[in-house]
Amino acid sequence: MASGSGRWLRGLWAAGQPLFQGRALLVTNTLGCGVLMATGDGVRQSWEIRSRPGQKFDPRRSASMFAVGCSMGPFLHYWYLWLDHLLPASGLRGLPNILRKVLVDQLVASPMLGVWYFLGIGCLEGQTLDQSCQELRDKFWEFYKADWCVWPAAQLVNFLFVPPQFRVTYINGLTLGWDTYLSYLKYRSLPHLSSEADPSPQTSGGGLREEEPEGPMQHVARPSCEDKSQVP
């Protein structure tokens, strides 16, 4: 039984290797980013549906996450190639350069991807540029602090032990939990953002304000000058 499982895994590995070579690697990295980001949003929506009766799954929301994830894939693909060229290192002997890679990644790529995420999702969902920028100002530092708590250690392992062609796939494998957090952060409403998104007048109870009925005096026609002259 064990030998049969071993042969199956070796066959699967042999079949999948072409996906991590040449031009196919770019496609693999691009689709992997999109699929994992959409999956993270699906996980988050499942939690929201359980905790909020009446809420339904929103496929357009997951589609937006997929599109933005796919747009990030090529950037990550070439970003890691550039880092490896700029700071070549392998194993513990290259630890100083690896630490520099982690620092450059955190100071350059992480904030850039944060801006990309919020503006990209906002554009796809019909937000104005001002609304997206306001949301970015409100949520960016929370995002960036969480990023520093998660990714430096993950990237240290990535640059130390993961072969270059598998680096984006390694990151994608870790990002399921991270993408779930990004979905929570993006779709967690802030009071002033909600009011900007819905400019319609509301009552204190949240419903639409009804126009007041006209009073009886408003239906009485005003007498003209001729009518006044006929009054005794």
Side-chain angles (χ1 to χ4, degrees):
M1 186 69 179
S3 61
S5 299
R7 285 195 300 270
W8 183 82
L9 289 174
R10 285 193 296 270
L12 184 63
W13 172 253
Q17 274 189 327
L19 298 175
F20 297 92
Q21 297 173 357
R23 294 181 180 179
L25 179 59
L26 175 60
V27 177
T28 300
N29 290 337
T30 299
L31 292 178
C33 286
V35 169
L36 267 296
M37 188 164 281
T39 303
D41 178 68
V43 171
R44 176 62 195 175
Q45 287 203 58
S46 298
W47 184 90
E48 291 175 358
I49 290 169
R50 288 196 300 270
S51 60
R52 302 172 188 171
Q55 178 169 328
K56 296 181 179 180
F57 184 81
D58 184 359
R60 293 181 62 184
R61 170 174 152 180
S62 293
S64 297
M65 297 283 282
F66 174 78
V68 170
C70 286
S71 72
M72 292 178 177
F75 169 78
L76 291 172
H77 175 86
Y78 290 109
W79 171 253
Y80 288 125
L81 291 177
W82 179 78
L83 273 184
D84 288 337
H85 177 74
L86 179 69
L87 298 167
S90 60
L92 293 174
R93 291 182 179 180
L95 187 59
N97 266 3
I98 288 173
L99 292 176
R100 292 187 186 100
K101 281 185 181 182
V102 173
L103 183 61
V104 172
D105 188 70
Q106 286 299 120
L107 294 178
V108 179
S110 290
M112 186 183 301
L113 290 172
V115 173
W116 192 331
Y117 173 74
F118 284 107
L119 295 188
I121 295 288
C123 177
L124 290 175
E125 297 192 341
Q127 285 182 330
T128 65
L129 183 59
D130 288 342
Q131 288 173 332
S132 296
C133 289
Q134 181 60 52
E135 182 178 28
L136 180 64
R137 285 190 291 270
D138 289 329
K139 297 179 179 179
F140 176 79
W141 289 113
E142 183 178 350
F143 155 83
Y144 197 41
K145 286 185 289 185
D147 190 280
W148 271 95
C149 292
V150 173
W151 288 111
Q155 294 288 35
L156 184 62
V157 173
N158 192 14
F159 294 132
L160 268 174
F161 304 114
V162 179
Q165 67 269 31
F166 298 119
R167 284 189 178 150
V168 177
T169 301
Y170 163 81
I171 292 299
N172 287 342
L174 294 180
T175 55
L176 181 58
W178 178 250
D179 290 338
T180 303
Y181 166 74
L182 289 182
S183 177
Y184 154 76
L185 185 62
K186 165 63 186 173
Y187 295 102
R188 183 195 65 194
S189 298
L190 295 176
H192 65 279
L193 290 178
S194 300
S195 62
E196 289 177 3
D198 184 14
S200 58
Q202 294 184 346
T203 63
S204 59
L208 292 176
R209 182 183 299 158
E210 298 180 357
E211 295 185 4
E212 296 180 0
E214 296 181 349
M217 295 299 295
Q218 291 174 306
H219 294 286
V220 179
R222 295 181 179 180
S224 65
C225 295
E226 297 177 358
D227 293 335
K228 287 182 179 179
S229 63
Q230 295 176 1
V231 176

